[in-house]
Amino acid sequence: FAARKNQLGLLKNGGVWAISAATNSTGVAFGNISVNQIDDGTKGCIAEDSVVTRGDVAFWLGANAVYMWKDQTVEDVSSGKVKPWFQSDTYFNRTRFQYAFGKWNEVTSCYELHLANAGDSTENRWVSYNPETGAWFGPHKTGALTPTHGFWLRDANGLPLVMTGGSDGVLYTGNSSNK
């Protein structure tokens, strides 16, 4: 699922559906719910943990591309220079795409997607996409940990903090030597 401000996205391998509801004076009635397929059946999600929503925009990994859903449009944001990352086995182990996971990096304003390097069996690389500029960064690697999951939160001062869970059971902060 991709939760947007006024819609819920149902992301399946075979497509993307938008679930929305009309309200009345007493709230939402089940009779006012609509479900519409908003893609051509090729932009579905292959990795449920890759789905990240930021504001009213959702990102996810498909079988051969990274997609972004904003307004009523689902677009392939990996077309161009980075397309081979997602359509060949040269850069990443595509048989492990189902285990990929994403997170939003509040510090860099980027969608970060963790993938397994070609020939590897752990998600030990990541790439970043900046939706404001359309720029891709990576692939990156860290020797400090084997990432297993990622998320972001705000610290006690209200500042954004990017977190990555490691296979060693430790939570690591982004851009920091602290665990």
Side-chain angles (χ1 to χ4, degrees):
F1 290 102
R4 294 179 61 213
K5 289 182 180 177
N6 294 313
Q7 293 175 315
L8 178 64
L10 176 61
L11 310 176
K12 302 286 287 176
N13 287 344
V16 182
W17 289 262
I19 303 168
S20 54
T23 60
N24 58 33
S25 61
T26 60
V28 176
F30 282 105
N32 295 335
I33 293 178
S34 67
V35 179
N36 299 306
Q37 188 165 6
I38 59 170
D39 78 321
D40 59 3
T42 64
K43 298 179 176 105
C45 179
I46 195 168
E48 62 187 60
D49 287 337
S50 72
V51 179
V52 173
T53 303
R54 178 70 179 130
D56 206 24
V57 180
F59 304 89
W60 65 88
L61 175 63
N64 296 304
V66 174
Y67 297 103
M68 179 174 68
W69 174 27
K70 63 181 182 178
D71 302 321
Q72 291 301 317
T73 306
V74 176
E75 62 182 277
D76 174 353
V77 296
S78 57
S79 60
K81 291 182 181 180
V82 301
K83 196 67 163 181
W85 288 358
F86 306 102
Q87 291 188 336
S88 74
D89 294 319
T90 304
Y91 302 92
F92 302 111
N93 183 346
R94 295 182 64 223
T95 64
R96 291 199 53 87
F97 270 15
Q98 64 184 331
Y99 304 109
F101 63 92
K103 68 179 183 275
W104 182 258
N105 187 327
E106 184 76 16
V107 176
T108 61
S109 296
C110 288
Y111 168 66
E112 294 183 349
L113 181 63
H114 292 257
L115 303 148
N117 189 44
D120 290 345
S121 59
T122 59
E123 284 58 51
N124 54 8
R125 300 288 193 275
W126 80 93
V127 294
S128 303
Y129 172 70
N130 184 312
E132 293 176 18
T133 64
W136 280 91
F137 305 97
H140 308 288
K141 178 189 179 200
T142 181
L145 68 140
T146 299
T148 58
H149 204 73
F151 56 96
W152 75 275
L153 50 85
R154 296 206 181 271
D155 68 10
N157 297 316
L159 298 173
L161 188 61
V162 181
M163 304 291 294
T164 302
S167 61
D168 56 0
V170 176
L171 292 177
Y172 294 85
T173 58
N175 304 320
S176 172
S177 60
N178 297 331
K179 295 181 182 178

